[in-house]
Structure formats: C-alpha cells, structure tokens
Amino acid sequence: MALGAAVLVSATLTLTPATPALAKPGGKPPAECDTDPNAHVAKVPSPEQFFGFPLGKGQPRVLTTEEIEKYVEAVGGASDRVVTGTVAHSVTGQDLPYAIVSDSHNMVPGQLKKIADQIRSLRDPRSLKADKAARIADDSPAIVWIAGNVHGGEKSGADAALKTLYELASGLSCDVAKRNDNLLTVIMPTQNPDGRDASRRTNEYGFDLNRDWFARTQPETDGKLEMLRRYPPQVFVDAHEMGGRQYFFPPNADPIHHEIADQPVDWINRIGAANAAGFGYNGACDDVVTTECYFNYATYDLFYMGYGDSVPATGFGAAGMTFEKGSSSAVEDRVQQQFNTQWATTGWAADNRREVLNGYYSIWQTSLAEGAAGALEPNEVVQPANTVRFPVPDITIRSYFLLPDRQLGDVRRLVERLRRMDVEVYRVKNPVKVPSARVFGGRTASDVTVPEGAYWIPMDQPQKHWIQAVMGEDPYVPFPYFYDVSSWSNPLLAGVDTISTGDAVSPKADLVKDIDGGVASNAPKGGSYAYPMDSAAASELTFRLLGAGVPLTRDVTSGVVTLPETAMKRGDLDKLARSLGVTVEGVRAPASGAALRTPDVGLFAGTGVSTTSGSYGEARYVLGARWGLDLKPVTTADVNGNTPAFTERTVLLVPDGSSSNGGLTEQGLANLRQWVAAGGTYVGLRNEGTRVARAAGLTSTTEKAKPTGYQVIGSHFRVDVAQDSPVSLGRPAEDFQFNNGDPILNPSQTGVNVLTYPTDDTFWSNGYTVGSEALKGTASLVDEPTGAGHAVLFAYNPLFRAYNENGIHLLANAVLYPAPQASPQAKLRVAPDALRSAAATAEEPPNLGGEWRPIVIQVADADLARAQAVVERYTDTAQTASADGSSYITIPNPDGLSADEHPFVRDLVRDLGAAGIPLRSVVA
C-alpha cells in the first residue's frame, strides 16, 4: 500500500517508545513501512472522525454498544486488512461482533481459512509430522485474541480493543507492519452487550459469563468457544476492570491448575515483562506509588475451568491472561492503559511468533505422550513466596469410562460437551474388563466389566490436558487460596457412574460423531412411548413435551414417563429426544401412571432476593428458557396480601437471598403456610429459601452452627438418597451433591430427609474442605408435608451456574410433585406443630456470605494481632476465632460479592503479604 495514502493523526498511539525497525528473531521482518507511528491509511475512519473524540488519552466517555458495533463494521468496510462478522447473539438478540486483522495478503479469499486450518493442524501431531509443523511455524502467522467486557460494567477493555483495531487496520508504521505480518489478531470488543447496556456485571439471565466457560450454558459463551475452535489462539487477552486505580496483568496469583502446560505459563510470564516495559504511567506499584501503576502475583489465579484465561490456556494451549484496570481512574486512563497492554502483548507475540508456534506444536506432543503413559502434570506455584502444599497424587489415568446404566441423557450431554472441545469420545461395542478401576467417589474396584454402550475417553489424544481438567475426580489444588470453587468435576456434577483406570485397555469402540438418543423403536398401535425421567436432560424433555400439549403420565415407582403413541408424530419426538440425548422406546402397553401437569410456577422476587444475579437468574434460565415454563413474579406484597399473583400459583420457588423471612409479615407467613396446606408446592433454595420456610412453620429443620475453621469451598460430597419421596424419583441410592459453604441443616423430624450426608466411612468429599465432618448426619434436601402440600427445601443451590445436572433433576422432581388428592382437611387453616414452632423460633447462625460466602483469612495464632491490625484498616466488621493453632479472620460479605468485584479484599491480601504475615489460606 502506498505511503502517500496516509494521513497523520497526532498523539494517536501515546505509547512508550519502542524500536520501530525490524522484528526480533522469531518474527518476520516487516514489509515496507513508515517510521512515523502516526501514519495511517486515510480511508479508514479514525476514532476522532467516527466518534468525535479519540480513544484513550483525551477520551471523555465510554462508548455505547451500538457505537462499538457500528465502528467495527465501518473499519471492516474500509480496510482490506480486516474481516468482520458476528461471534454470537446475546440473550436479548444483540450481535457480538468480531474483527480479524492481519496483513492484507492474509485476508484474500481462502488464505484466512488456510491459516486457521494450519494452526488447528498443529494441535494434532498424530497427523502432522514435525517437519511440516516446523514449516508452518516458519511461515504462518500466530493467532492472538483480544476480548473485552465479559463483565458488562467493565467497559474500558472494549474501547481499547477498538483503538487496537484501528491501529492494526490502518497504521502504516513498522510497529503495525510487524504485528500484521506475524499475527492474525482476533478482536472481540464486547463479550456481554446486554450487561454493557445495563452497566451490570452479568448477562440478561444474571450469569457471570466469566464463570461459564467449561459449561457454556449461555449463548454468548457458546458462540465464542465455537469461534475459538475455528481460530485457536496462542495468546488470549481477557480485558476486565476492578476496583481502585491500579492495573493487574500476570504473572498470576496461585493456584494454577496443574494441567496447564509449561509453555503457556512461560509465555504468560514473559508477556508480563513486556507489559511492564510498555505500560508507561507510573510503572510498578510500591509503598509510595499506589495509583496509575501495575502489580502482579495477586488475586487473579489460573485454576477454575470457567475463566477466560484458564480455559484458553488448558483447552487451547494459549497464553490465557486476565488484565484488570481499576475502575476509579478516569476514562481516558482506563482505556489508554488497556490499550498499552494490548499493544505490548501483540508486540511480544509478533516478536516471538516462530518460537510460540513451535512451542504450540510441542504442547500437543507432550499431551499425547503423557496420555499414553497415563501421567498427570505435577502441581506448581508461581508466586515467589509460595510452595506447593498439596501435590498431585502419584496415580496413573489412561482412560475414563462413562457408564450407561443410568442418567443416560446427562451422560450424553457430557459426551457432547467434551466433543465440542475437540475431545475424542468412543462408544464401546463389546463389554471390556478393566482389571483395576478408580470408581468416582473415592473407591476402587477390580475386574470391572464395562458394558456395551459405555462411553470411553482415552487420554492418549491431544486434548489430554482438557480431559483431566474437567473430568478429573479432584482438581488437586496446590495452594489454599480460593477465589472460586474447588471442584467442577463434570461426572460428579451430573451424578453419573464413572470410572478411571491406569490400565492399558483397547476396547472395540466406535468414535462418536453425533449425539445419541431419539426414538429407538416404534410403538405399536394402541401402545405408548416411554423413557425414564432420571436426568436433567430427560426432565427438560418432559417439560418441553408438556409445553407442546402432549399428555404425559409418570410411574410413581420407577419414574418412567409415557405418552400415547398417537400423541406426537414419531419424527418430531425423535428429533426432540435426540437433541437432548434421551432414548425413547416404543412399548406395547398403553400409557399409564400419574398424570403430569404443567406447573404454574411463581418465582419469588421479594425482600432479600437479587433479581439480576444468582439463583433467581438461574431459575429464569433453567425453568424459563430451557424448560419453557412461564414464570410469574411473586413479590413480598403478593404473599402478605394473599393476592392472585401468589394464590393462583401451584409452585412457589424462593431463590437464595439475604433475608430470613423474605419480608413476610405474620399474616404473610400464615398465608404461605395455608397455601401449602391447600396443595401448593413450596421450593426453597439455600439460605433464604430454607429460612422463609422455617419462619412460616413449614419445617422442623434447624441450622447447625459451623465450627471454627470450617471451610467447604465448592466441593462435592457423597450423599445418601431416601427412596420414599417423589423428589428422589430416578436418583440412585448414593449420589453426589455440590456444597459451597451452604447452611448445615439438622435433619427434619416431620418430613423426609431426601439427601443426607453419611455418618459412616462412606462419607467422602473432594476439592478443598476443612472440618467437613460437621456435615455427617445432616440433611441437604428435605421434603416436608403440610396438609395437602409440601415444602421441598434444598440446603444448597441446585441451579448453581446451571451446570449442576443432578441438582436440576431433583428440582424438576420437586416442581412436578404429584398433585394432591382432594381432601376436606386441605381447606382447614393449618397451624405448625410443636417441632416446627420450635424450629421457627430457634436462633439462626448469621448469613455472612449472602449468595456467595464470607472472606476468611487463616493465619497462625502468633500472627493474629498483626493480621487484625491490617484488617482494621479496611473494616470493623471482622470476626475472629481460633482452633488447632490457627486463627480465622472472617469478614462478612452480605452482598455475596466475588473476590474480583469486592471493594477491598485484593488490597487487603496484598497488604497482609507486604506486612510479612504468612497466610495459611485465603477464601474469598
């Protein structure tokens, strides 16, 4: 492109000076270029021309979502270096635009696809020989992603991404040429347009999209991951904001997940050094410099597999990085600092392109070798003062098997989740004997026969790291700092039978190429179609059929659902059932069992309940979007006033929240009790859901105080399942339940304790727990009858992030609780019995964590006074207690804020470290 087509735009880059001549070894030398960093192609609209102001320095306000979309379109239409499109659509239907930028010769028809194909081929050394991989590393650009605004209120990363887009799309400098010659840069300015419009962290359903990556329940996440599969990154920037006026970029805080390969961690740390050199402003933060400066090694870990850094790192082998800018800074500084780190990152990637691509190929070679040997990666730490506290155990895992004996719909959903991250899954054709097996739940077995129809996931494949990261029975945290959960084992979330083995087995099996399920056999005339409603997938099928007006019945003993063979066209039934992974069988017998009715569900939106996040939003998504139920909002005033908005509902779902009584008056509590007695089903979740029921005299459960030092950080537990309640229909006698520091319920004396924690040696948990023996013998799910109705109380949140499939199935059972038989007693006003009256007046432990959990800092007893002195700089609400040589400082978190949105926890932990106080654990 002729340099005469340039226009000079003053102060566009505002960068720390860099040498603009040749690329460093590993990057291609730039083509003809201009030494003036402000030379640009005139026809590409600059931010000043398009918005009326610059981006970064001099920017007076953040951009709107509409402005972002239009600018991406305008730049794409004006520059031959840019291809644009739509990654996905948000919940409300908004576009999530993207732009791919590189040298114009990479954008010609077919070339972009060729580059993407070549990068993808590096991920499978079985079919790509080393010499060809080396040629790709020599010739092909690397792929860098810059994504912003996954949290809607954190806007500066998106604006900075547009500044990066403009520079790459129109700049004529050697710095720009170097980047475009060596990189394909994928720019996704906003990952959450609905949240951006509302200046809200979450999407329209209240989901934190930076916790949704492995489960990909939300359309914004799902579309993004499909795009990542098409253009797999070697570097991924996820641009955020935090509190204060500082800036974070890696090196990360511990813990780092052990299955993240060495190469991405090395690249991340080196990119951190490049960002430090290119940051500008006040440089590194210290005791004197505390604003417009950067810091590392704090707060932001690389552990949980739902983050926008850990998933690119583990699932795609990228240098996945979170960048965080303090939101208290002026707009111009927020955007400029985001741009400076984006520019430094792309510069490093361009300079080291060949090394990165060679290393990228090596990642997958190592995966194959480790998978064949059944070797897990060891735990490591990156923070200089930390040491590995919990090593990965010396076990060998060569294969996983998902057994087909129950919850088959959820087994197949998990298979699809794996396949959509390029995991190879096989369906076993003939039974195979496994000499030595580890049975999920901490058990072992010998000579296990894996039946035909089981699903086999061999570790000897490129995605070994990802398989272990999401399938593993335990994530094996190296160091007890927790900013999220400590377990997300997908088989445990689904509650499906799973084994692993270190044996070298080679079953006869077929590669799964599409989801299994659908109508397996025709129903004869006068017969019916049947399927077991034993999974979240089968529950969704049931609600979808009810929503289509299909008459359904369910056997109250087996849980099997049937429909007349004339009720729905076979092809339509096959398509719907197959999409959900459910097998439907044609049978000779006519449909039989108790009739199922579409429930009329009220969703409580009263005092203490957040309607923009947490279980309220999860209910809107699962029950509303997935099940198709028309949820009706019910307010505190509706219950207190006994209005039709409340009384006409057949089910009332009370989400988690911060109130003990939902704001209900004595009359409101009596109204609620009478509504249940008349046949209503009350479903209460976690803190507020169980406490409102207790206040209304609907349960004899009481809350057990948690002992000092008690920690359950999003862990899985084995639970015993009572088979004498419709709520447990279709579940096994032993199941798994996810606990995130939930209230501890003493068992009911007036109802059925559906899920209880074992008291004997079958008690088991994974993840990180301390003092969890306090759970033994307590209940996590209770079915309490009152008159003709029931109160179903979950001590935990079965809707958590919409990925807790066994909990979702139990919730479906509760919502479909069999209709009561007509009874004269149902019309009587029912007073609570003595046990429930006593429970209603029992003292409750304070809810210190809202819908999340309190902040807990563990130190040695000898360090307590010094730690308290630091904590008191931030809050006077902290509580302290000691046990077994440790002191625990608990800081209430009534709003349920996560660590990265909390106003001071990051600074507090940093100051504790600066004071030289050894931290035994941090939970936030």
Side-chain angles (χ1 to χ4, degrees):
M1 186 171 292
L3 296 184
V7 59
L8 301 184
V9 182
S10 63
T12 298
L13 286 173
T14 321
L15 287 169
T16 302
T19 304
L22 296 177
K24 295 178 183 177
K28 300 176 188 175
E32 184 180 1
C33 57
D34 198 309
T35 57
D36 182 354
N38 294 319
H40 293 81
V41 177
K43 69 177 183 177
V44 178
S46 69
E48 292 92 332
Q49 294 167 334
F50 196 85
F51 304 117
F53 52 80
L55 297 178
K57 276 301 183 182
Q59 182 175 347
R61 64 169 176 83
V62 293
L63 302 177
T64 67
T65 303
E66 182 180 16
E67 286 173 326
I68 290 172
E69 186 174 350
K70 288 184 175 179
Y71 189 64
V72 170
E73 182 181 357
V75 172
S79 175
D80 60 359
R81 306 176 191 173
V82 178
V83 169
T84 61
T86 300
V87 174
H89 294 93
S90 72
V91 171
T92 66
Q94 291 199 74
D95 289 349
L96 277 68
Y98 72 85
I100 302 176
V101 197
S102 189
D103 188 272
S104 58
H105 77 265
N106 292 329
M107 297 292 113
V108 299
Q111 186 62 19
L112 184 60
K113 181 180 183 300
K114 178 182 177 182
I115 293 168
D117 289 345
Q118 288 178 330
I119 297 300
R120 282 199 306 274
S121 73
L122 292 174
R123 301 179 68 197
D124 193 350
R126 297 171 302 182
S127 56
L128 183 74
K129 301 305 180 186
D131 58 342
K132 189 170 182 181
R135 288 197 296 273
I136 291 173
D138 285 341
D139 300 334
S140 178
I143 299 178
V144 173
W145 274 64
I146 297 173
N149 205 190
V150 71
H151 293 144
E154 302 172 8
K155 302 181 180 182
S156 59
D159 295 20
L162 295 189
K163 184 175 175 68
T164 299
L165 171 62
Y166 172 66
E167 295 300 333
L168 295 176
S170 71
L172 294 167
S173 71
C174 297
D175 257 0
V176 170
K178 175 185 72 174
R179 286 164 172 79
N180 285 337
D181 283 348
N182 287 282
L183 304 175
L184 284 182
T185 305
V186 181
I187 295 176
M188 187 180 176
T190 177
Q191 303 170 71
N192 184 5
D194 295 345
R196 185 182 183 93
D197 286 346
S199 293
R200 182 185 64 227
R201 179 182 178 89
T202 56
N203 77 343
E204 179 64 20
Y205 283 129
F207 278 67
D208 185 333
L209 297 178
N210 199 40
R211 304 294 187 271
D212 187 48
W213 279 69
F214 82 76
R216 54 197 299 180
T217 67
Q218 300 303 288
E220 299 93 338
T221 314
D222 190 59
K224 175 173 57 186
L225 278 159
E226 286 306 293
M227 182 82 174
L228 279 159
R229 292 175 70 196
R230 289 170 56 198
Y231 297 97
Q234 287 72 68
V235 175
F236 188 98
V237 173
D238 195 18
H240 292 250
E241 289 183 9
M242 60 184 178
R245 295 180 60 193
Q246 299 181 355
Y247 197 105
F248 168 83
F249 50 77
N252 294 90
D254 292 316
I256 290 180
H257 196 281
H258 65 95
E259 283 296 331
I260 295 175
D262 293 341
Q263 291 89 339
V265 175
D266 175 58
W267 302 337
I268 287 167
N269 294 342
R270 289 163 60 191
I271 291 170
N275 283 337
F279 183 76
Y281 282 82
N282 293 333
C285 302
D286 57 29
D287 292 340
V288 176
V289 178
T290 59
T291 62
E292 311 311 334
C293 54
Y294 69 83
F295 68 93
N296 324 111
Y297 293 120
T299 304
Y300 302 102
D301 63 336
L302 199 62
F303 186 62
Y304 167 62
M305 287 298 134
Y307 292 149
D309 50 12
S310 56
V311 173
T314 316
F316 293 93
M321 297 173 293
T322 293
F323 293 174
E324 297 267 358
K325 171 57 195 163
S327 57
S328 297
S329 297
V331 170
E332 62 175 353
D333 295 324
R334 282 151 51 196
V335 176
Q336 187 64 48
Q337 289 172 32
Q338 295 273 27
F339 171 74
N340 287 356
T341 54
Q342 291 175 16
W343 199 250
T345 297
T346 53
W348 182 92
D351 289 340
N352 295 278
R353 175 195 59 79
R354 183 184 296 112
E355 177 198 342
V356 166
L357 290 178
N358 279 320
Y360 195 68
Y361 181 70
S362 296
I363 291 170
W364 314 106
Q365 288 180 308
T366 301
S367 272
L368 289 168
E370 288 180 351
L376 305 186
E377 290 269 356
N379 265 336
E380 297 178 353
V381 293
V382 294
Q383 288 179 261
N386 290 343
T387 58
V388 173
R389 294 266 296 276
F390 309 110
V392 174
D394 184 17
I395 58 175
T396 300
I397 301 177
R398 286 188 169 93
S399 296
Y400 285 97
F401 288 95
L402 298 170
L403 305 183
D405 53 326
R406 58 181 176 83
Q407 280 78 54
L408 190 53
D410 289 343
V411 168
R412 289 168 175 164
R413 275 189 167 175
L414 176 49
V415 167
E416 289 306 293
R417 186 181 291 166
L418 293 167
R419 291 198 327 111
R420 296 185 72 215
M421 280 294 286
D422 303 307
V423 174
E424 296 162 3
V425 182
Y426 297 82
R427 188 187 310 101
V428 175
K429 295 171 65 175
N430 297 320
V432 59
K433 182 167 286 189
V434 175
S436 179
R438 296 173 61 89
V439 182
F440 269 49
R443 293 168 172 159
T444 59
S446 300
D447 295 328
V448 175
T449 298
V450 175
E452 176 187 356
Y455 292 93
W456 173 43
I457 303 113
M459 295 284 270
D460 183 9
Q461 58 175 296
Q463 278 292 58
K464 174 261 179 181
H465 294 310
W466 181 251
I467 295 168
Q468 183 59 29
V470 297
M471 289 288 293
E473 189 178 27
D474 197 295
Y476 305 122
V477 63
F479 195 84
Y481 279 16
F482 294 98
Y483 303 107
D484 205 79
V485 299
S486 68
S487 175
W488 52 89
S489 170
N490 280 211
L492 294 177
L493 285 167
V496 298
D497 279 344
T498 306
I499 65 171
S500 67
T501 182
D503 298 327
V505 294
S506 298
K508 292 184 178 180
D510 293 325
L511 180 68
V512 177
K513 297 182 179 180
D514 200 0
I515 189 169
D516 292 326
V519 176
S521 58
N522 287 324
K525 186 175 181 180
S528 61
Y529 288 104
Y531 60 91
M533 189 182 136
D534 65 349
S535 62
S539 301
E540 185 170 339
L541 174 61
T542 300
F543 286 111
R544 298 272 288 274
L545 291 171
L546 288 172
V550 176
L552 300 178
T553 54
R554 190 182 191 194
D555 186 281
V556 296
T557 302
S558 67
V560 170
V561 173
T562 54
L563 61 149
E565 54 91 13
T566 57
M568 191 175 194
K569 292 181 179 178
R570 182 192 185 281
D572 294 340
L573 179 60
D574 178 73
K575 182 178 180 181
L576 178 58
R578 185 178 298 277
S579 72
L580 296 168
V582 178
T583 295
V584 178
E585 300 280 357
V587 296
R588 293 183 177 278
S592 61
L596 295 178
R597 302 280 187 266
T598 301
D600 188 344
V601 180
L603 181 58
F604 187 66
T607 302
V609 173
S610 169
T611 59
T612 60
S613 62
S615 55
Y616 185 95
E618 290 156 355
R620 288 181 56 218
Y621 170 65
V622 174
L623 279 72
R626 277 175 35 182
W627 292 357
L629 299 179
D630 181 15
L631 303 180
K632 316 276 196 330
V634 176
T635 66
T636 297
D638 290 327
V639 181
N640 285 337
N642 229 26
T643 70
F646 162 55
T647 59
E648 292 179 0
R649 309 285 75 82
T650 61
V651 176
L652 179 66
L653 174 60
V654 179
D656 191 14
S658 58
S659 175
S660 289
N661 59 16
L664 301 185
T665 62
E666 285 301 318
Q667 183 59 54
L669 295 170
N671 292 342
L672 178 58
R673 187 167 59 249
Q674 182 59 30
W675 174 83
V676 174
T681 299
Y682 175 99
V683 180
L685 309 187
R686 208 167 179 257
N687 289 301
E688 182 158 345
T690 58
R691 290 183 170 192
V692 170
R694 189 174 299 114
L698 295 173
T699 179
S700 59
T701 62
T702 55
E703 282 191 41
K704 179 179 178 180
K706 297 170 182 174
T708 299
Y710 177 86
Q711 294 289 356
V712 173
I713 312 300
S715 304
H716 277 97
F717 289 80
R718 179 182 287 112
V719 287
D720 293 328
V721 183
Q723 301 293 318
D724 53 349
S725 165
V727 178
S728 62
L729 199 54
R731 298 311 302 178
E734 288 186 340
D735 211 343
F736 298 102
Q737 182 250 312
F738 180 80
N739 186 317
N740 191 29
D742 303 321
I744 305 175
L745 298 187
N746 290 310
S748 171
Q749 301 175 70
T750 54
V752 178
N753 295 296
V754 180
L755 299 183
T756 54
Y757 296 95
T759 58
D760 56 17
D761 60 5
T762 62
F763 183 83
W764 175 87
S765 66
N766 73 347
Y768 184 78
T769 67
V770 178
S772 61
E773 293 80 7
L775 291 168
K776 288 184 175 182
T778 65
S780 64
L781 176 57
V782 173
D783 176 6
E784 292 269 17
T786 293
H790 291 259
V792 181
L793 308 181
F794 292 81
Y796 63 106
N797 177 11
L799 293 169
F800 186 72
R801 296 177 180 166
Y803 60 42
N804 189 5
E805 284 89 358
N806 60 357
I808 290 172
H809 174 222
L810 288 163
L811 181 65
N813 282 343
V815 170
L816 289 172
Y817 208 103
Q821 299 295 318
S823 169
Q825 285 77 18
K827 299 180 180 180
L828 299 177
R829 292 198 170 273
V830 177
D833 62 24
L835 291 170
R836 291 176 176 176
S837 294
T841 58
E843 183 178 357
E844 293 176 331
N847 177 10
L848 299 178
E851 289 197 58
W852 186 235
R853 60 194 180 211
I855 297 147
V856 181
I857 297 166
Q858 179 188 6
V859 297
D861 285 341
D863 293 320
L864 176 60
R866 288 196 299 147
Q868 283 178 305
V870 176
V871 170
E872 286 168 1
R873 300 177 202 164
Y874 292 92
T875 180
D876 60 1
T877 65
Q879 305 172 11
T880 61
S882 296
D884 301 324
S886 286
S887 291
Y888 298 85
I889 302 173
T890 300
I891 300 170
N893 183 21
D895 294 328
L897 300 176
S898 62
D900 52 351
E901 58 183 332
H902 194 275
F904 64 76
V905 65
R906 171 181 57 82
D907 295 332
L908 170 59
V909 172
R910 179 200 61 199
D911 287 354
L912 288 166
I917 301 170
L919 302 180
R920 292 184 171 179
S921 68
V922 174
V923 176

